[in-house]
Amino acid sequence: MTAIHWQQAKDKLQQLATQPHFGLFSDLDGTLAPIAPTPEEAAITPGNRQRLADLAELLPVVGLISGRRAASLQAKVDLPGLVYIGNHGLEQWLGGQVVGLPQAAAYRAALQQAHAEIEAILPPGAIAEDKGLTLSIHYRHVQDPREFVLTRGVHIQNIAQQHGLTLFTGKMVLEVRPPVQVDKGTAFYELVREHKLSAALFLGDDISDLSALETARTLRAEGVEAYGVGVRSEDAPAEITEQADYWAADVADVEELLAFVLMARRASST
Ligand SMILES: [Mg+2]
């Protein structure tokens, strides 16, 4: 399966956006916010932020599903009325505080142990970020990222396994996580069911978003009109546009897509 550009699916997107029980869900980094040298420097574009604010007033639910900590995700976007799911579905920003899944919190000590051991073998340029329920190792700035994955990556995987944890790979990042069957796909699925949606759209750009793109197909098989948009970027995995239903060229193209969805929704609600 190969995705088509969203502009070629305007009829379909318009039809989704005008359904009363339509929800919009998106990743943040690389999708609504350009990739920055460090996660701290990343910022949602003013255009995407404004469109989310407008859509939140017109749709039953607008949600962000990110690998970031829920508190960081909320702080980066800082809009009321949005659902903020962090740590790939392991935690949520609810009523001004972070609520984590208890089955993941049980691995906190193991994660801290693994963190200390991983820290000891990291070369200059690599950063281990403690995300509470998970650990992210950013290696964008090491001398040879490919060599880093092939050598240190294996060590990191061994350390994770020794502590009963699992390793996931993303764009210039390795993620150590508790062995809990939660990902962006299950988070997307839960939100669609919780809000009793008949239509939904998910946008993402990275390997961790593939589970949500796959969930869109699962939901369709169950009668929900759910579709996935893959956002292309320089180091985006090829699977993104293979697994997605539609693709967008970059963060600026996502602004165009959200503007279109907003326009269609407004036209139907007046
Ligand atoms: Mg992303």
Short mmCIF file of all heavy atoms in Angstrom, two decimals, residues 118-160:
data_model
loop_
_atom_site.label_atom_id
_atom_site.label_comp_id
_atom_site.label_asym_id
_atom_site.label_seq_id
_atom_site.Cartn_x
_atom_site.Cartn_y
_atom_site.Cartn_z
N ILE A 118 23.59 2.78 31.41
CA ILE A 118 23.66 3.30 30.04
C ILE A 118 24.48 4.59 30.00
O ILE A 118 25.33 4.78 29.13
CB ILE A 118 22.24 3.52 29.47
CG1 ILE A 118 21.57 2.18 29.23
CG2 ILE A 118 22.28 4.34 28.18
CD1 ILE A 118 20.06 2.25 28.97
N GLU A 119 24.26 5.44 30.99
CA GLU A 119 24.99 6.71 31.07
C GLU A 119 26.50 6.46 31.01
O GLU A 119 27.24 7.21 30.37
CB GLU A 119 24.62 7.41 32.40
CG GLU A 119 25.02 8.86 32.47
CD GLU A 119 23.99 9.79 31.82
OE1 GLU A 119 22.85 9.84 32.31
OE2 GLU A 119 24.34 10.46 30.83
N ALA A 120 26.93 5.39 31.65
CA ALA A 120 28.36 5.09 31.76
C ALA A 120 28.99 4.70 30.41
O ALA A 120 30.21 4.77 30.27
CB ALA A 120 28.57 3.96 32.78
N ILE A 121 28.20 4.30 29.44
CA ILE A 121 28.78 3.87 28.16
C ILE A 121 28.46 4.84 27.02
O ILE A 121 28.75 4.56 25.86
CB ILE A 121 28.32 2.44 27.77
CG1 ILE A 121 26.80 2.40 27.57
CG2 ILE A 121 28.77 1.41 28.79
CD1 ILE A 121 26.34 1.25 26.68
N LEU A 122 27.86 5.98 27.33
CA LEU A 122 27.50 6.92 26.27
C LEU A 122 28.71 7.75 25.82
O LEU A 122 29.44 8.27 26.65
CB LEU A 122 26.38 7.86 26.72
CG LEU A 122 24.99 7.26 26.89
CD1 LEU A 122 23.99 8.37 27.23
CD2 LEU A 122 24.55 6.52 25.64
N PRO A 123 28.91 7.87 24.51
CA PRO A 123 30.00 8.70 23.99
C PRO A 123 29.59 10.18 24.02
O PRO A 123 28.41 10.49 24.22
CB PRO A 123 30.14 8.21 22.55
CG PRO A 123 28.77 7.80 22.17
CD PRO A 123 28.13 7.26 23.42
N PRO A 124 30.53 11.10 23.82
CA PRO A 124 30.19 12.52 23.76
C PRO A 124 29.12 12.77 22.69
O PRO A 124 29.15 12.15 21.64
CB PRO A 124 31.51 13.20 23.36
CG PRO A 124 32.56 12.24 23.75
CD PRO A 124 31.98 10.88 23.62
N GLY A 125 28.18 13.64 23.00
CA GLY A 125 27.14 13.98 22.03
C GLY A 125 25.85 13.24 22.26
O GLY A 125 24.79 13.68 21.82
N ALA A 126 25.91 12.10 22.95
CA ALA A 126 24.69 11.36 23.25
C ALA A 126 24.12 11.83 24.59
O ALA A 126 24.87 12.07 25.53
CB ALA A 126 24.97 9.86 23.30
N ILE A 127 22.80 11.95 24.65
CA ILE A 127 22.15 12.43 25.87
C ILE A 127 21.10 11.41 26.31
O ILE A 127 20.25 11.02 25.52
CB ILE A 127 21.42 13.78 25.63
CG1 ILE A 127 22.37 14.81 25.02
CG2 ILE A 127 20.80 14.31 26.92
CD1 ILE A 127 21.63 15.94 24.31
N ALA A 128 21.17 10.99 27.59
CA ALA A 128 20.13 10.12 28.14
C ALA A 128 19.13 11.01 28.88
O ALA A 128 19.49 11.73 29.81
CB ALA A 128 20.74 9.10 29.08
N GLU A 129 17.88 10.98 28.43
CA GLU A 129 16.85 11.82 29.02
C GLU A 129 15.91 10.97 29.85
O GLU A 129 15.23 10.09 29.33
CB GLU A 129 16.07 12.54 27.90
CG GLU A 129 14.99 13.48 28.41
CD GLU A 129 13.99 13.90 27.33
OE1 GLU A 129 14.14 13.47 26.16
OE2 GLU A 129 13.04 14.62 27.66
N ASP A 130 15.88 11.24 31.15
CA ASP A 130 14.98 10.51 32.06
C ASP A 130 13.57 11.07 31.88
O ASP A 130 13.31 12.22 32.20
CB ASP A 130 15.46 10.72 33.50
CG ASP A 130 14.59 9.97 34.52
OD1 ASP A 130 13.51 9.46 34.13
OD2 ASP A 130 15.00 9.90 35.68
N LYS A 131 12.67 10.23 31.35
CA LYS A 131 11.30 10.70 31.13
C LYS A 131 10.33 10.08 32.14
O LYS A 131 9.15 9.91 31.86
CB LYS A 131 10.86 10.40 29.70
CG LYS A 131 11.74 11.16 28.67
CD LYS A 131 11.07 11.31 27.32
CE LYS A 131 10.75 9.99 26.68
NZ LYS A 131 10.18 10.16 25.34
N GLY A 132 10.85 9.72 33.29
CA GLY A 132 10.00 9.18 34.36
C GLY A 132 9.68 7.71 34.14
O GLY A 132 10.26 6.84 34.77
N LEU A 133 8.75 7.44 33.23
CA LEU A 133 8.34 6.05 32.98
C LEU A 133 9.14 5.42 31.84
O LEU A 133 9.04 4.22 31.59
CB LEU A 133 6.84 5.99 32.65
CG LEU A 133 5.91 6.51 33.75
CD1 LEU A 133 4.46 6.45 33.30
CD2 LEU A 133 6.09 5.71 35.04
N THR A 134 9.91 6.24 31.12
CA THR A 134 10.76 5.75 30.03
C THR A 134 12.08 6.51 30.04
O THR A 134 12.23 7.50 30.75
CB THR A 134 10.09 5.93 28.64
OG1 THR A 134 9.88 7.33 28.42
CG2 THR A 134 8.78 5.18 28.54
N LEU A 135 13.01 6.03 29.21
CA LEU A 135 14.31 6.68 29.09
C LEU A 135 14.62 6.86 27.61
O LEU A 135 14.53 5.90 26.84
CB LEU A 135 15.38 5.77 29.74
CG LEU A 135 16.83 6.25 29.70
CD1 LEU A 135 17.04 7.43 30.64
CD2 LEU A 135 17.75 5.09 30.11
N SER A 136 14.94 8.09 27.20
CA SER A 136 15.27 8.35 25.80
C SER A 136 16.75 8.63 25.66
O SER A 136 17.30 9.43 26.39
CB SER A 136 14.51 9.57 25.28
OG SER A 136 13.16 9.28 25.09
N ILE A 137 17.39 7.96 24.70
CA ILE A 137 18.80 8.23 24.43
C ILE A 137 18.87 8.92 23.06
O ILE A 137 18.64 8.30 22.02
CB ILE A 137 19.67 6.96 24.46
CG1 ILE A 137 19.59 6.32 25.86
CG2 ILE A 137 21.12 7.27 24.11
CD1 ILE A 137 18.83 5.05 25.92
N HIS A 138 19.16 10.22 23.09
CA HIS A 138 19.24 11.00 21.85
C HIS A 138 20.68 10.94 21.33
O HIS A 138 21.61 11.27 22.06
CB HIS A 138 18.86 12.46 22.13
CG HIS A 138 17.50 12.62 22.72
ND1 HIS A 138 16.36 12.68 21.96
CD2 HIS A 138 17.09 12.70 24.02
CE1 HIS A 138 15.31 12.82 22.76
NE2 HIS A 138 15.72 12.83 24.00
N TYR A 139 20.84 10.54 20.07
CA TYR A 139 22.22 10.42 19.55
C TYR A 139 22.46 11.21 18.27
O TYR A 139 23.43 10.98 17.56
CB TYR A 139 22.58 8.94 19.36
CG TYR A 139 21.71 8.18 18.38
CD1 TYR A 139 22.07 8.09 17.04
CD2 TYR A 139 20.56 7.54 18.79
CE1 TYR A 139 21.29 7.40 16.13
CE2 TYR A 139 19.76 6.85 17.90
CZ TYR A 139 20.13 6.78 16.58
OH TYR A 139 19.35 6.10 15.67
N ARG A 140 21.61 12.18 18.01
CA ARG A 140 21.75 13.04 16.82
C ARG A 140 23.13 13.69 16.74
O ARG A 140 23.65 13.93 15.65
CB ARG A 140 20.66 14.12 16.86
CG ARG A 140 20.54 15.00 15.63
CD ARG A 140 19.37 15.96 15.77
NE ARG A 140 18.09 15.27 15.80
CZ ARG A 140 17.40 14.92 14.70
NH1 ARG A 140 17.87 15.21 13.51
NH2 ARG A 140 16.25 14.28 14.80
N HIS A 141 23.73 13.99 17.90
CA HIS A 141 24.97 14.76 17.89
C HIS A 141 26.23 13.94 18.16
O HIS A 141 27.28 14.51 18.43
CB HIS A 141 24.86 15.91 18.89
CG HIS A 141 23.73 16.84 18.56
ND1 HIS A 141 23.67 17.54 17.39
CD2 HIS A 141 22.59 17.14 19.24
CE1 HIS A 141 22.55 18.25 17.36
NE2 HIS A 141 21.87 18.01 18.46
N VAL A 142 26.14 12.61 18.09
CA VAL A 142 27.38 11.84 18.24
C VAL A 142 28.14 11.92 16.92
O VAL A 142 27.58 12.26 15.88
CB VAL A 142 27.11 10.35 18.62
CG1 VAL A 142 26.36 10.26 19.94
CG2 VAL A 142 26.37 9.61 17.51
N GLN A 143 29.42 11.56 16.97
CA GLN A 143 30.27 11.72 15.78
C GLN A 143 29.75 10.89 14.61
O GLN A 143 29.69 11.36 13.48
CB GLN A 143 31.70 11.32 16.13
CG GLN A 143 32.72 11.91 15.16
CD GLN A 143 34.14 11.67 15.63
OE1 GLN A 143 34.42 10.70 16.34
NE2 GLN A 143 35.04 12.55 15.22
N ASP A 144 29.39 9.62 14.89
CA ASP A 144 28.93 8.74 13.81
C ASP A 144 27.64 8.02 14.27
O ASP A 144 27.70 6.96 14.88
CB ASP A 144 30.03 7.72 13.48
CG ASP A 144 29.67 6.86 12.28
OD1 ASP A 144 28.49 6.81 11.88
OD2 ASP A 144 30.58 6.21 11.74
N PRO A 145 26.47 8.60 13.99
CA PRO A 145 25.21 8.02 14.49
C PRO A 145 25.00 6.56 14.07
O PRO A 145 24.51 5.75 14.85
CB PRO A 145 24.15 8.93 13.86
CG PRO A 145 24.84 10.23 13.62
CD PRO A 145 26.25 9.86 13.26
N ARG A 146 25.37 6.22 12.84
CA ARG A 146 25.17 4.85 12.37
C ARG A 146 26.00 3.86 13.19
O ARG A 146 25.52 2.82 13.62
CB ARG A 146 25.56 4.76 10.89
CG ARG A 146 25.19 3.44 10.24
CD ARG A 146 25.69 3.41 8.82
NE ARG A 146 25.04 4.42 7.99
CZ ARG A 146 23.98 4.15 7.20
NH1 ARG A 146 23.51 2.93 7.14
NH2 ARG A 146 23.44 5.10 6.47
N GLU A 147 27.26 4.25 13.40
CA GLU A 147 28.16 3.40 14.18
C GLU A 147 27.65 3.29 15.62
O GLU A 147 27.73 2.24 16.24
CB GLU A 147 29.57 4.00 14.13
CG GLU A 147 30.67 3.08 14.62
CD GLU A 147 31.05 3.34 16.07
OE1 GLU A 147 30.79 4.47 16.54
OE2 GLU A 147 31.55 2.42 16.72
N PHE A 148 27.08 4.38 16.13
CA PHE A 148 26.55 4.38 17.50
C PHE A 148 25.46 3.32 17.66
O PHE A 148 25.46 2.54 18.61
CB PHE A 148 25.97 5.77 17.84
CG PHE A 148 25.27 5.81 19.17
CD1 PHE A 148 25.97 6.04 20.34
CD2 PHE A 148 23.90 5.60 19.25
CE1 PHE A 148 25.33 6.06 21.57
CE2 PHE A 148 23.25 5.62 20.48
CZ PHE A 148 23.97 5.85 21.63
N VAL A 149 24.55 3.25 16.69
CA VAL A 149 23.45 2.28 16.78
C VAL A 149 23.98 0.85 16.71
O VAL A 149 23.56 -0.02 17.46
CB VAL A 149 22.42 2.52 15.66
CG1 VAL A 149 21.36 1.44 15.66
CG2 VAL A 149 21.75 3.88 15.84
N LEU A 150 24.94 0.64 15.81
CA LEU A 150 25.45 -0.71 15.60
C LEU A 150 26.25 -1.24 16.79
O LEU A 150 26.25 -2.44 17.06
CB LEU A 150 26.33 -0.75 14.34
CG LEU A 150 25.57 -0.53 13.02
CD1 LEU A 150 26.55 -0.49 11.85
CD2 LEU A 150 24.53 -1.64 12.81
N THR A 151 26.94 -0.36 17.50
CA THR A 151 27.78 -0.83 18.61
C THR A 151 27.13 -0.56 19.96
O THR A 151 26.69 -1.47 20.65
CB THR A 151 29.18 -0.18 18.55
OG1 THR A 151 29.03 1.22 18.60
CG2 THR A 151 29.89 -0.58 17.27
N ARG A 152 26.98 0.73 20.34
CA ARG A 152 26.40 1.06 21.65
C ARG A 152 24.93 0.62 21.71
O ARG A 152 24.45 0.26 22.77
CB ARG A 152 26.48 2.56 21.93
CG ARG A 152 27.86 3.17 21.74
CD ARG A 152 28.88 2.61 22.71
NE ARG A 152 30.21 3.08 22.32
CZ ARG A 152 30.87 4.08 22.90
NH1 ARG A 152 30.36 4.68 23.93
NH2 ARG A 152 32.06 4.46 22.46
N GLY A 153 24.28 0.65 20.58
CA GLY A 153 22.86 0.26 20.54
C GLY A 153 22.67 -1.15 21.07
O GLY A 153 21.72 -1.43 21.81
N VAL A 154 23.58 -2.02 20.70
CA VAL A 154 23.50 -3.42 21.15
C VAL A 154 23.74 -3.50 22.66
O VAL A 154 23.03 -4.22 23.37
CB VAL A 154 24.51 -4.30 20.38
CG1 VAL A 154 24.53 -5.71 20.94
CG2 VAL A 154 24.17 -4.32 18.90
N HIS A 155 24.71 -2.73 23.14
CA HIS A 155 24.97 -2.69 24.60
C HIS A 155 23.73 -2.19 25.35
O HIS A 155 23.35 -2.74 26.37
CB HIS A 155 26.15 -1.75 24.91
CG HIS A 155 27.47 -2.33 24.55
ND1 HIS A 155 28.60 -1.56 24.37
CD2 HIS A 155 27.84 -3.60 24.31
CE1 HIS A 155 29.61 -2.35 24.04
NE2 HIS A 155 29.18 -3.59 24.00
N ILE A 156 23.14 -1.15 24.80
CA ILE A 156 21.98 -0.56 25.46
C ILE A 156 20.82 -1.56 25.49
O ILE A 156 20.12 -1.70 26.48
CB ILE A 156 21.59 0.77 24.77
CG1 ILE A 156 22.67 1.82 25.03
CG2 ILE A 156 20.23 1.27 25.24
CD1 ILE A 156 22.55 3.08 24.19
N GLN A 157 20.66 -2.27 24.40
CA GLN A 157 19.61 -3.29 24.34
C GLN A 157 19.84 -4.37 25.41
O GLN A 157 18.89 -4.80 26.08
CB GLN A 157 19.58 -3.94 22.96
CG GLN A 157 18.60 -5.11 22.88
CD GLN A 157 17.91 -5.19 21.55
OE1 GLN A 157 18.52 -4.92 20.51
NE2 GLN A 157 16.65 -5.55 21.54
N ASN A 158 21.10 -4.78 25.57
CA ASN A 158 21.42 -5.80 26.58
C ASN A 158 21.11 -5.30 27.99
O ASN A 158 20.55 -6.03 28.80
CB ASN A 158 22.91 -6.19 26.48
CG ASN A 158 23.18 -7.03 25.25
OD1 ASN A 158 22.27 -7.64 24.68
ND2 ASN A 158 24.43 -7.05 24.81
N ILE A 159 21.49 -4.05 28.26
CA ILE A 159 21.23 -3.48 29.58
C ILE A 159 19.71 -3.44 29.82
O ILE A 159 19.22 -3.83 30.89
CB ILE A 159 21.84 -2.06 29.69
CG1 ILE A 159 23.36 -2.15 29.67
CG2 ILE A 159 21.35 -1.37 30.96
CD1 ILE A 159 24.07 -0.80 29.51
N ALA A 160 18.97 -2.99 28.82
CA ALA A 160 17.51 -2.92 28.95
C ALA A 160 16.93 -4.30 29.28
O ALA A 160 16.14 -4.45 30.21
CB ALA A 160 16.89 -2.37 27.67
#
